[in-house]
Amino acid sequence: MLMGTAPSNANLDFMQNTMNDVNNILSAQPEVAFAQVFTGVPNSNQAFGIASMVPWSEREASQSEVANRVGGLVGNVPGMAVTAFQMPELPGAGSGLPIQFVITTPNAFESLFTIASEVLTEVNASPMFVYSDLDLNYDSATMKIKIDKDKAGAYGVTMQDIGLTLSTMMADGYVNRIDLNGRSYEVIPQVERKWRLNPESMNNYYVRAADGAAVPLGSLITIDVVAEPRSLPHFNQLNSATVARYLRQVQQWVMQLLGLRTLLARNCQVATTMTTWVKLVST
């Protein structure tokens, strides 16, 4: 199995082009009978791939050897961080990766993210893990629009006019359905993709003033782009951050339990007042 993570602002076209290269590498392995990649799952900036092996009688390399070889090849693919690992032979209980490191606190998410990032950095430095993930990330670009009400009022432009213009140009809400060749399709009013790729695109939109003149929307609004988390996770009604990881080999399980205790003790000294407790979940 392959798991890839792209920058938070990457679109599906970018990830699809990168994962096509990954799929070619995976399909080129003589031990692989079939390979396929999926983009946009489990998150919008992630992708994963799966491969079916040929029968044992037709190959000499084991599944572990193929995974290690593919991992070295896909690690050099630019544009995305791609890792290869093999799924466990026996299914486990629960969901998510085998080891989940949950940090909870009543304090702000900003402080929690700082400590969780330090833990994730140390985990990534360990060669015993092939894939690590943090569910709290400040990687979502949020666009905040501030309207100059005085200037808009001088032109006779209402807040409803501005909202209607933005929703018509950029939203994906449908207004009707049409019948085409016996099939029902939604009618979605929206500008072409190239005219809504970035915040500066709104400078090309216009609103109608009270006297009927077209006023550039960019002259009435100010746009700020800030980084915010995609979600605010909670555990036991407390702010939480989960560092999940996948082991390279199951035989290293006991060693990792000891390593996690050492890692926890070292980071809790830094965050004595904010980290309430840590729970280890194994599947």
Side-chain angles (χ1 to χ4, degrees):
M1 184 173 180
L2 296 171
M3 181 65 70
T5 303
S8 60
N9 58 348
N11 55 31
L12 290 178
D13 293 337
F14 175 85
M15 293 190 295
Q16 186 65 54
N17 292 334
T18 303
M19 292 305 295
N20 285 339
D21 297 336
V22 173
N23 191 40
N24 293 334
I25 294 175
L26 193 58
S27 302
Q29 306 306 310
E31 298 85 1
V32 174
F34 172 78
Q36 189 173 7
V37 296
F38 304 88
T39 57
V41 286
N43 296 316
S44 59
N45 66 324
Q46 289 185 317
F48 76 93
I50 56 176
S52 299
M53 309 289 289
V54 299
W56 276 102
S57 58
E58 301 179 16
R59 57 185 169 95
E60 298 180 357
S62 65
Q63 180 178 337
S64 177
E65 293 172 343
V66 175
N68 293 335
R69 185 202 312 154
V70 172
L73 296 174
V74 299
N76 298 324
V77 175
M80 295 181 64
V82 185
T83 53
F85 55 91
Q86 54 180 334
M87 298 299 294
E89 288 77 7
L90 297 177
S95 60
L97 298 180
I99 297 182
Q100 299 180 24
F101 197 51
V102 183
I103 307 173
T104 62
T105 177
N107 293 353
F109 278 100
E110 290 78 3
S111 302
L112 177 61
F113 176 69
T114 301
I115 300 301
S117 299
E118 294 176 0
V119 175
L120 182 64
T121 300
E122 295 200 31
V123 169
N124 290 334
S126 173
M128 299 180 183
F129 299 109
V130 294
Y131 179 74
S132 301
D133 186 34
L134 178 63
D135 66 345
L136 177 62
N137 289 295
Y138 281 79
D139 60 354
S140 177
T142 301
M143 185 171 57
K144 295 186 176 182
I145 302 175
K146 183 178 180 181
I147 301 175
D148 190 335
K149 297 181 179 180
D150 294 335
K151 185 181 293 186
Y155 284 103
V157 177
T158 65
M159 302 301 104
Q160 182 180 4
D161 295 333
I162 296 177
L164 183 61
T165 300
L166 291 176
S167 62
T168 302
M169 297 295 187
M170 307 185 71
D172 58 352
Y174 73 96
V175 296
N176 203 348
R177 287 181 177 269
I178 62 172
D179 176 78
L180 185 62
N181 297 327
R183 294 181 178 271
S184 178
Y185 295 91
E186 295 180 349
V187 178
I188 302 176
Q190 193 177 59
V191 295
E192 294 184 45
R193 184 178 180 182
K194 63 180 179 180
W195 299 115
R196 49 185 172 88
L197 287 177
N198 49 59
E200 289 74 18
S201 299
M202 285 190 287
N203 294 328
N204 299 319
Y205 302 162
Y206 292 85
V207 293
R208 189 69 62 182
D211 59 357
V215 180
L217 182 60
S219 63
L220 304 178
I221 62 175
T222 303
I223 304 172
D224 292 326
V225 180
V226 297
E228 293 184 353
R230 296 176 181 269
S231 62
L232 299 176
H234 292 81
F235 193 86
N236 281 354
Q237 299 183 356
L238 293 174
N239 300 340
S240 71
T242 302
V243 181
R245 62 208 62 180
Y246 193 92
L247 286 170
R248 187 175 297 275
Q249 293 182 2
V250 180
Q251 291 81 355
Q252 297 172 339
W253 184 268
V254 176
M255 186 181 301
Q256 286 309 305
L257 292 180
L258 298 176
L260 285 175
R261 292 176 180 238
T262 304
L263 180 64
L264 170 60
R266 183 163 57 247
N267 283 275
C268 278
Q269 292 177 0
V270 181
T272 334
T273 59
M274 63 155 296
T275 303
T276 56
W277 62 282
V278 176
K279 180 180 180 182
L280 179 65
V281 181
S282 62
T283 55

